[in-house]
Amino acid sequence: MIDELLRPFDFEFFRNGLLVATMAGALCGAIGVYVVLKGMSYIGHGLSHALFGGFAASSLLGVNFLLGAGAWGIASALMINTVTRRRVIGSDAAIGVITTASFALGLALFALFGTAGRSFDAALFGSILGVGTDDVIAIFVVSILAFALIFLRYRALLFTTFDPEVADVAGVDTARMDALLTVVLACSILATMQVLGVTLVAAVLVIPAAIARMLTNSFARMLQFATGIGAVCGFVGMNLSYHLDVQSGPTIVLTAATLFAIVFVTTGVTGRRRAAAITARGPVAAR
Amino acid sequence: MTGRHELLALTGVTCGYVDEAVLVGVDLTIHDREFVGIVGPSGAGKTTALRVLAGSMHPARGRVARRPGLRMAYVPQVETINWSFPVTVFECVLMARVTGRRLPWASRAERAQVADVLARLDIGDLADRHIRELSGGQQQRVFIARALLGEPQLLLMDEPTSGVDVRLRHEIMHLLDDLNSRGMAIVLTTHDLNGIAAHLPRIVCLNRSVIGDGAPHEVLNADVLERTYGASMQVLEHGGMPVVVDGYRRAHAPHHAESHHA
């Protein structure tokens, strides 16, 4: 039994995949706290789809995937951030247009020219088979950048997330904080796309944060819990992916969803009240 | 205002949202140690005026002059706070220390400062509680504590007594009086003409522009109030204090006290 469980560790692709999945879970768990609390879940979902356009274009043009899709993702992220802050048109509508157009472009490019390099299915649903050293390096670099941002700008990010208007008065450059967070979100989605897939990455951003919210009323603890929960879900989900012979994205998401259900039931009314509060939006317009 | 220094001055300020001007040509000066109430009907631009004073909104026209190095703190309406956000009282108050130290956790000195300000506001034993688990008065105190931790010279408060009962309103006003008597300038917005505004040394009547500005006995009169609220109002006197009564109620009231017409 133990031998069977340890057997995949003999393969380098699995060790790489497991490392990337665990780090991806921790990264998405931490970033997901801000995504959930700022009500940016739709942006996370949209950005992952927008990146698919960059993935298709870079695949077609033979450009390095991380650079091509990365540039595409950061441009989309900044565009979404600008639209959201300026409120020129409804942010939901603007995000919908930008991200679904990008996703549709990716699908059209694949339909017209076929795939080169990375597989279409892997991009959509994640796969451990294609995880290489460049993916390990990418997730490592993005994780360091993201956790450095969270650590060094913890107070400003917390204030911006909780109360952006007062944070502004207190001297926080909230526009810069929002832009940094959106760019880190785009980079995180890009770096985790290989194991999670664009269609499922949004779930890994949201579920660990939602579980952590049910467990605590403290922001600092929510951040720690979500990071740990994300890492555990990535580790367990990747192992299940190998043993069940199912794509890695679905197994990681299902692991997280199962944990959510367990915590939802065991924390009772308190947990449910906290989880329900996640959808509550913040500032109300006033004159 | 003789002998008092200007903290902040709005000159001909016009601003608003998208294509709608909420404030038009507003002139308003705040001096140190002042206690000012901004009153006006819903949609008059009270919160917008406070945001312009705070610097979180920039005017389309006009000028905002602040004394260099002015420390301000802004306490938003409690209705705009996301009470479901996972944050304890301690974490909330510590947000005021956003500049300077970069490490996520509080230093020993910061812990002592937060404990001190919470104790001053009689909520010292609530530091580890979630903000939603508090009573209305305690919640308001948490946000005043956050403001005080930044040691502001000017405290801006948006509707600090909206939706609270009489006892809590007295509690909050005593607290603000105390802060003002210690030298802090305070500007607040309020809908409550009799319970709050009439007790303040200076009232600004606002409806897109400044209609009246002065002591309660100078601005609380039928003419200014009608131009501010667009409705007939009468001012009575009770115990030397102006009492505002709306025209509808007065027309149906059986007895009238002495009234002051503009």
Side-chain angles (χ1 to χ4, degrees):
Chain A
M1 173 75 174
I2 298 292
D3 287 346
E4 180 61 24
L5 288 175
L6 293 177
R7 195 154 56 89
F9 288 85
D10 293 338
F11 307 112
E12 188 186 357
F13 81 87
F14 181 80
R15 290 198 299 273
N16 283 341
L18 191 66
L19 189 60
V20 170
T22 308
M23 289 174 74
L27 177 63
C28 289
I31 297 295
V33 169
Y34 296 97
V35 168
V36 163
L37 294 178
K38 280 179 78 68
M40 290 167 60
S41 304
Y42 186 51
I43 296 179
H45 190 73
L47 260 180
S48 62
H49 284 72
L51 275 166
F52 186 74
F55 167 78
S58 59
S59 171
L60 184 70
L61 297 171
V63 177
N64 179 286
F65 156 73
L66 290 171
L67 292 178
W72 190 293
I74 288 171
S76 303
L78 292 174
M79 212 184 304
I80 288 169
N81 190 54
T82 305
V83 168
T84 306
R85 283 189 72 86
R86 292 192 180 170
R87 298 171 186 170
V88 179
I89 56 172
S91 59
D92 285 1
I95 293 163
V97 170
I98 293 168
T99 60
T100 50
S102 184
F103 185 65
L105 178 67
L107 290 173
L109 289 175
F110 274 128
L112 287 171
F113 304 106
T115 60
R118 299 199 175 220
S119 104
F120 181 81
D121 281 352
L124 286 179
F125 307 114
S127 167
I128 55 171
L129 294 174
V131 177
T133 312
D134 53 345
D135 295 301
V136 177
I137 293 169
I139 191 84
F140 188 72
V141 170
V142 173
S143 296
I144 286 186
L145 288 175
F147 284 109
L149 174 72
I150 291 171
F151 186 80
L152 295 173
R153 304 302 292 148
Y154 174 87
R155 295 183 184 207
L157 281 171
L158 169 58
F159 209 164
T160 304
T161 305
F162 176 57
D163 200 346
E165 185 173 17
V166 182
D168 211 26
V169 176
V172 178
D173 187 344
T174 53
R176 189 161 161 245
M177 286 301 123
D178 282 343
L180 280 171
L181 199 58
T182 317
V183 168
V184 165
L185 174 61
C187 292
S188 303
I189 293 169
L190 175 73
T192 57
M193 209 163 120
Q194 182 60 44
V195 285
L196 297 171
V198 291
T199 53
L200 296 169
V201 69
V204 183
L205 283 165
V206 172
I207 298 175
I211 297 170
R213 182 67 190 93
M214 285 192 283
L215 295 171
T216 182
N217 266 330
S218 155
F219 179 81
R221 283 195 291 274
M222 181 178 173
L223 195 55
Q224 293 158 12
F225 288 173
T227 306
I229 290 165
V232 168
C233 291
F235 184 88
V236 174
M238 186 55 96
N239 276 285
L240 288 174
S241 167
Y242 177 87
H243 293 289
L244 300 175
D245 195 20
V246 176
Q247 287 140 319
S248 51
T251 53
I252 291 170
V253 171
L254 286 173
T255 304
T258 305
L259 189 57
F260 178 91
I262 293 167
V263 174
F264 188 81
V265 170
T266 54
T267 52
V269 177
T270 307
R272 281 194 282 279
R273 193 183 299 135
R274 288 172 180 166
I278 286 170
T279 54
R281 290 306 306 267
V284 176
R287 287 187 172 178
Chain B
M1 300 307 151
T2 312
R4 289 194 163 181
H5 302 290
E6 275 187 16
L7 293 179
L8 218 157
L10 309 186
T11 311
V13 163
T14 294
C15 80
Y17 305 88
V18 194
D19 55 353
E20 182 193 1
V22 177
L23 296 178
V24 181
V26 169
D27 294 320
L28 180 62
T29 303
I30 308 297
H31 301 85
D32 60 1
R33 296 171 178 268
E34 270 198 306
F35 198 160
V36 184
I38 300 176
V39 301
S42 299
K46 299 188 295 295
T47 298
T48 303
L50 217 55
R51 284 173 174 162
V52 174
L53 289 170
S56 67
M57 263 188 90
H58 303 287
R61 280 198 299 277
R63 205 165 69 89
V64 182
R66 287 186 189 83
R67 191 163 85 182
L70 174 66
R71 291 191 307 276
M72 289 186 295
Y74 180 55
V75 179
Q77 282 184 47
V78 288
E79 286 85 356
T80 67
I81 303 293
N82 180 2
W83 296 106
S84 305
F85 195 94
V87 70
T88 63
V89 169
F90 181 85
E91 288 175 322
C92 184
V93 175
L94 188 65
M95 285 180 199
R97 287 295 158 90
V98 73
T99 51
R101 183 180 165 92
R102 291 208 157 182
L103 296 176
W105 52 86
S107 67
R108 189 176 294 178
E110 285 175 333
R111 285 187 176 281
Q113 286 158 356
V114 172
D116 179 56
V117 75
L118 291 178
R120 271 171 59 198
L121 297 176
D122 288 331
I123 48 173
D125 53 343
L126 304 176
D128 294 325
R129 297 268 290 273
H130 184 253
I131 52 171
R132 196 174 51 182
E133 294 170 357
L134 312 177
S135 69
Q138 290 167 337
Q139 288 176 335
Q140 188 63 264
R141 280 165 186 265
V142 169
F143 287 89
I144 294 173
R146 185 177 71 178
L148 296 186
L149 193 68
E151 296 172 356
Q153 295 153 320
L154 173 60
L155 180 61
L156 303 165
M157 302 188 74
D158 198 4
E159 300 278 359
T161 57
S162 84
V164 302
D165 60 28
V166 177
R167 190 186 60 80
L168 185 52
R169 190 180 72 207
H170 288 176
E171 203 179 294
I172 292 168
M173 288 311 293
H174 277 303
L175 176 64
L176 296 181
D177 269 336
D178 183 48
L179 292 171
N180 181 243
S181 66
R182 291 166 192 245
M184 187 181 294
I186 299 173
V187 178
L188 58 80
T189 62
T190 183
H191 274 101
D192 191 346
L193 288 171
N194 293 321
I196 303 292
H199 299 271
L200 301 178
R202 181 181 166 199
I203 300 174
V204 175
C205 294
L206 186 77
N207 193 347
R208 293 180 180 262
S209 58
V210 175
I211 311 291
D213 184 351
H217 69 272
E218 293 170 339
V219 296
L220 291 185
N221 59 61
D223 175 47
V224 170
L225 291 173
E226 183 160 358
R227 284 194 288 134
T228 304
Y229 287 90
S232 168
M233 296 169 109
Q234 300 296 326
V235 181
L236 314 178
E237 193 174 294
H238 177 72
M241 297 283 292
V243 179
V244 179
V245 182
D246 78 47
Y248 176 81
R249 256 190 257 160
R250 184 176 181 274
H252 293 78
H255 303 293
H256 302 151
E258 178 190 354
S259 68
H260 292 243
H261 295 269

